[in-house]
Amino acid sequence: MSSVTSILDITQPDFDVEAYVVKLLKGKSLDGLVKEEEEMVSAVRRLDSDVHQIVYENYNKFLTATSTVRKIQDEFTQLDSEMKSLSQSMTKISTLIGNLGGVIGEKRDDILQLGSSYKVVNSLKHIFDLPQVLQGEFDEGNYGEVLRMYKMAEESLDEYKEVATVQSVLEKSKKIYDITENHLMEQLRNPASGTEFVSEAVDLLLTIGRDKEEVQTVLLTCSEQSLRKDLKYLEENYSDVLDLVERASETFIPNLTLIATTHDRLFEEKRKELLEVLQSEMNSLHFLVSKVFLSSSDAKDCSIVVRALDRYFRKISTCRHVIPGLDFLPLAIELINKVSTHEIDLSLTRIKEELKNSLNEIRKALVNDEKDLPGLANKLEQVFVHQVKTALANLLLFTASDVTFANLPPDEFSRSFALNAHERLLVQAFHRLTDLADEYETGVGEIRFVDPRVLLVFGVSLQHLTNKSATYLLNLCREQFSLTPREGLTDITVVTSEVKSRAQKLVRCYAEKTGLALGETLVKGCTMLVEPSATPNSVRASVRRLVEEMNTCDGELTMLLGGEAKPKDTKISRRPITTALDAARDSLWCERIDFHLQIHVVVNSMVDQALSSALKRCQDPVLVHPSRLVQLCEQPFANRPNSQASSLGY
């Protein structure tokens, strides 16, 4: 039993992959297998994140160890060379001693005394040269060597300090020693000093007994100034938000961690003061990064923003582990939510701008007598669909598998982000579209004089969206972001109903404006009549122009909405009227029509508008019989009678 358990335990060395997979396939459903895969992927990501954090935590130690090993290696190389030279010298000395032993054997005692005297003289020579040696070490920047040599000389010559010459040497050496100590303190106070030099200076000052409280205070002040200098450099030298985060990751954050490590090593009991300084400077960095993130103004840069945001989140997560007590992760998560919302708003703005540009292009095309109205309507619909799909694709970058913060608990990011993608982007995009429709319907500003056909094209495009694209986009968003209706989503029918109502309003507005324009044709003909006449030529010409304009309009609507266009026929025909347009036209001359009825996407209602406009402009209107109207419209102008009175009115 234990062996079976062992081969199925993924942590054991004798783990059997095939047996484990067979066990899962037999014991779990499809949903269970999917869940098992998600848990394993999540575990791998957590392990990967932990490895990154461990590597970063040991990065500074590794650098220090590498530097130490390199220094030791150089010293050993030099020592090896010196040892070889010393060995050769010793061999020569041994040979000389052997040769001289027989020659000066009788004067051995004198020679020993002479050697002792030489050592004393040589030592005195080194003592007298001590100030020059210390000055040379100082000039080369070997401050630790200056302090060490002076301390050794001070201890050795303490019993001879009453001797004038020794006292003079000690005074000169002490002066250089003091200069070195003061130089270290000045460099410690200098914000331009590197963090490695600051760490070395602190060690040396504490070694020589400098006041610990003073050194700690100066270290914190210097660290604060150094970090502020880094921040100023970051603020003035970045090309985009990713560049800013990269520079901060290479300068500010490593310096901050090194300062924290140095301070904790030397002044562990003063950690509270350290955290106050680091907290303040991290707040400044976070403010700068947040400002740059939220100042982004182009939705096309979404991929760069996501990469920068992920890099920043990783660094903040690492700092939390390297510097206990410095936890900026909640602020980083808050920034992620703000930036994602900002990107949604940018995408929404871009969608509206593209819609306005597309409508302007439609207006220009119609001014240039563009005939392809279906193509214009399809273009507007495709622009909206393309922009929405592009925006959704950009937002999916926030949930990519290689993005660290995508693995945050759903309550902290992914759930609210998915809901915003649906409600704040997609639903609001439809609202912006309907707002544009309302603007064109009310005709505010320059839109007041827009070609009525723009309204028709816009309305037909909205109708097409209602029929298919709107539902497709809403379902696509819900599928991509794993949303369900129970999460409080706006119902699809609500969106499609709003779009459909705007389509009807635009078509109604088109019908009203076109009807008024057609009515002007009749008005111009009627205003020329002073008294009844047998053949009202001006009215007849106006009616003919009206019919021609109606035929043109009918052709445009047929091309846009589908159906069969009415064939032109210039011959006199007595056949019964069979087309819908003729039937609607004849009915208008026989009965009154209520004004402002519901307008559907058909051409017949435009005749109602034309007649209503004409009736309102006539002082004493009398309707013409349908058969006489057909005869007048179809009879050539040259063949019409000029003197016969008509008892049917005009």
Side-chain angles (χ1 to χ4, degrees), residues 179-208:
I179 292 174
T180 303
E181 183 178 354
N182 293 332
H183 179 73
L184 289 174
M185 289 298 294
E186 290 175 2
Q187 291 299 310
L188 190 59
R189 294 187 180 95
N190 186 4
S193 301
T195 51
E196 293 184 1
F197 177 81
V198 169
S199 177
E200 180 185 2
V202 170
D203 287 334
L204 291 175
L205 290 169
L206 293 178
T207 301
I208 64 176

Coordinates of all heavy atoms in Angstrom, one line a residue, residues 179-208:
I179 N 42.2 64.2 9.1 CA 41.7 64.6 7.8 C 40.9 63.4 7.2 O 39.8 63.6 6.6 CB 42.8 65.0 6.9 CG1 43.4 66.4 7.4 CG2 42.4 65.2 5.4 CD1 44.7 66.8 6.6
T180 N 41.5 62.2 7.3 CA 40.8 61.0 6.8 C 39.4 60.8 7.4 O 38.4 60.5 6.8 CB 41.7 59.8 7.0 OG1 43.0 60.0 6.4 CG2 41.0 58.6 6.4
E181 N 39.4 61.0 8.8 CA 38.1 60.7 9.5 C 37.1 61.8 9.0 O 35.9 61.4 8.8 CB 38.4 60.8 11.0 CG 37.1 60.6 11.8 CD 37.4 60.6 13.3 OE1 38.6 60.7 13.7 OE2 36.4 60.5 14.1
N182 N 37.5 63.0 9.0 CA 36.6 64.1 8.5 C 36.1 63.9 7.1 O 35.0 64.2 6.7 CB 37.2 65.5 8.7 CG 37.5 65.8 10.2 OD1 36.7 65.3 11.0 ND2 38.5 66.6 10.4
H183 N 37.0 63.4 6.3 CA 36.7 63.2 4.9 C 35.6 62.1 4.8 O 34.7 62.2 4.0 CB 37.9 62.7 4.1 CG 37.7 62.4 2.7 ND1 37.4 63.4 1.7 CD2 37.6 61.2 2.0 CE1 37.2 62.8 0.5 NE2 37.3 61.5 0.7
L184 N 35.8 61.0 5.6 CA 34.8 60.0 5.6 C 33.4 60.5 6.0 O 32.4 60.1 5.4 CB 35.2 58.8 6.5 CG 36.4 58.0 6.0 CD1 36.8 57.0 7.1 CD2 36.0 57.3 4.8
M185 N 33.4 61.4 7.0 CA 32.1 62.0 7.5 C 31.5 62.8 6.4 O 30.3 62.8 6.2 CB 32.3 62.8 8.7 CG 32.6 61.9 10.0 SD 31.2 60.8 10.4 CE 30.0 62.0 10.9
E186 N 32.3 63.6 5.7 CA 31.8 64.5 4.6 C 31.3 63.6 3.5 O 30.2 64.0 2.9 CB 33.0 65.4 4.1 CG 33.4 66.4 5.1 CD 34.6 67.2 4.6 OE1 35.1 66.9 3.5 OE2 35.1 68.1 5.3
Q187 N 32.0 62.6 3.1 CA 31.5 61.7 2.1 C 30.2 61.0 2.5 O 29.3 60.7 1.7 CB 32.5 60.7 1.7 CG 33.7 61.3 1.0 CD 33.4 62.0 -0.3 OE1 32.7 61.4 -1.2 NE2 33.8 63.2 -0.5
L188 N 30.1 60.7 3.8 CA 28.9 60.1 4.3 C 27.7 61.0 4.2 O 26.6 60.6 3.9 CB 29.1 59.7 5.7 CG 28.0 58.8 6.4 CD1 27.9 57.5 5.6 CD2 28.3 58.5 7.8
R189 N 28.0 62.3 4.3 CA 26.9 63.3 4.2 C 26.6 63.7 2.8 O 25.6 64.3 2.5 CB 27.3 64.6 5.0 CG 27.4 64.4 6.5 CD 27.6 65.7 7.2 NE 27.8 65.6 8.6 CZ 28.9 65.5 9.3 NH1 30.1 65.5 8.6 NH2 28.9 65.3 10.6
N190 N 27.4 63.3 1.9 CA 27.3 63.7 0.5 C 26.3 62.8 -0.2 O 26.6 61.6 -0.3 CB 28.7 63.7 -0.2 CG 28.6 64.2 -1.6 OD1 27.5 64.7 -2.1 ND2 29.7 64.1 -2.4
P191 N 25.2 63.3 -0.8 CA 24.2 62.4 -1.4 C 24.8 61.8 -2.7 O 24.2 60.7 -3.1 CB 23.1 63.4 -1.8 CG 23.3 64.6 -0.9 CD 24.7 64.7 -0.7
A192 N 25.8 62.4 -3.3 CA 26.4 61.8 -4.5 C 27.2 60.5 -4.2 O 27.6 59.8 -5.1 CB 27.3 62.8 -5.2
S193 N 27.5 60.3 -2.9 CA 28.3 59.1 -2.6 C 27.5 57.8 -2.9 O 26.4 57.7 -2.6 CB 28.7 59.1 -1.1 OG 29.5 60.3 -0.8
G194 N 28.2 56.9 -3.5 CA 27.5 55.6 -3.8 C 27.2 54.8 -2.5 O 27.9 55.0 -1.5
T195 N 26.2 53.9 -2.6 CA 25.8 53.2 -1.4 C 26.9 52.3 -0.9 O 27.0 52.0 0.3 CB 24.6 52.4 -1.8 OG1 24.8 51.6 -3.0 CG2 23.4 53.3 -2.0
E196 N 27.8 51.7 -1.8 CA 28.8 50.8 -1.4 C 29.9 51.6 -0.6 O 30.4 51.2 0.4 CB 29.5 50.2 -2.6 CG 28.5 49.2 -3.3 CD 29.2 48.5 -4.5 OE1 30.4 48.7 -4.7 OE2 28.6 47.7 -5.1
F197 N 30.2 52.8 -1.1 CA 31.2 53.7 -0.4 C 30.6 54.1 1.0 O 31.3 54.1 2.0 CB 31.5 54.9 -1.2 CG 32.5 55.8 -0.5 CD1 33.8 55.6 -0.5 CD2 32.0 56.9 0.2 CE1 34.7 56.5 0.2 CE2 32.8 57.8 0.9 CZ 34.2 57.5 0.9
V198 N 29.3 54.4 1.0 CA 28.7 54.7 2.3 C 28.8 53.6 3.3 O 29.1 53.8 4.5 CB 27.2 55.1 2.1 CG1 26.5 55.3 3.4 CG2 27.1 56.5 1.3
S199 N 28.5 52.4 2.8 CA 28.6 51.2 3.7 C 30.1 51.0 4.3 O 30.3 50.8 5.5 CB 28.2 50.0 2.9 OG 28.3 48.8 3.7
E200 N 31.1 51.2 3.4 CA 32.5 51.1 3.8 C 32.8 52.2 4.8 O 33.5 52.0 5.8 CB 33.4 51.2 2.6 CG 34.9 51.1 2.9 CD 35.8 51.2 1.7 OE1 35.2 51.5 0.6 OE2 37.0 51.1 1.9
A201 N 32.4 53.4 4.5 CA 32.7 54.6 5.4 C 32.1 54.3 6.8 O 32.7 54.6 7.8 CB 32.1 55.8 4.8
V202 N 30.8 53.8 6.9 CA 30.2 53.6 8.2 C 31.0 52.5 9.0 O 31.3 52.7 10.2 CB 28.8 53.1 8.0 CG1 28.1 52.6 9.3 CG2 27.9 54.2 7.4
D203 N 31.4 51.5 8.3 CA 32.2 50.4 8.9 C 33.5 51.0 9.5 O 33.9 50.7 10.7 CB 32.5 49.3 8.0 CG 31.3 48.4 7.7 OD1 30.4 48.4 8.5 OD2 31.3 47.8 6.6
L204 N 34.2 51.8 8.7 CA 35.5 52.4 9.2 C 35.3 53.4 10.4 O 36.1 53.3 11.3 CB 36.2 53.1 8.0 CG 36.7 52.3 6.9 CD1 37.2 53.1 5.8 CD2 37.8 51.3 7.4
L205 N 34.2 54.2 10.3 CA 34.0 55.2 11.4 C 33.7 54.5 12.7 O 34.1 54.9 13.7 CB 32.9 56.1 10.9 CG 33.2 57.1 9.8 CD1 32.0 57.8 9.3 CD2 34.3 58.1 10.3
L206 N 32.9 53.4 12.6 CA 32.6 52.7 13.8 C 33.8 51.9 14.3 O 33.9 51.8 15.5 CB 31.4 51.7 13.5 CG 30.0 52.3 13.2 CD1 29.0 51.2 12.9 CD2 29.6 53.2 14.3
T207 N 34.6 51.5 13.4 CA 35.9 50.7 13.8 C 36.8 51.6 14.6 O 37.4 51.2 15.6 CB 36.6 50.2 12.6 OG1 35.7 49.3 11.9 CG2 37.8 49.4 13.0
I208 N 36.9 52.9 14.3 CA 37.8 53.8 15.0 C 37.2 54.5 16.2 O 37.8 55.4 16.8 CB 38.4 54.9 14.0 CG1 37.2 55.8 13.5 CG2 39.1 54.3 12.8 CD1 37.7 56.9 12.6

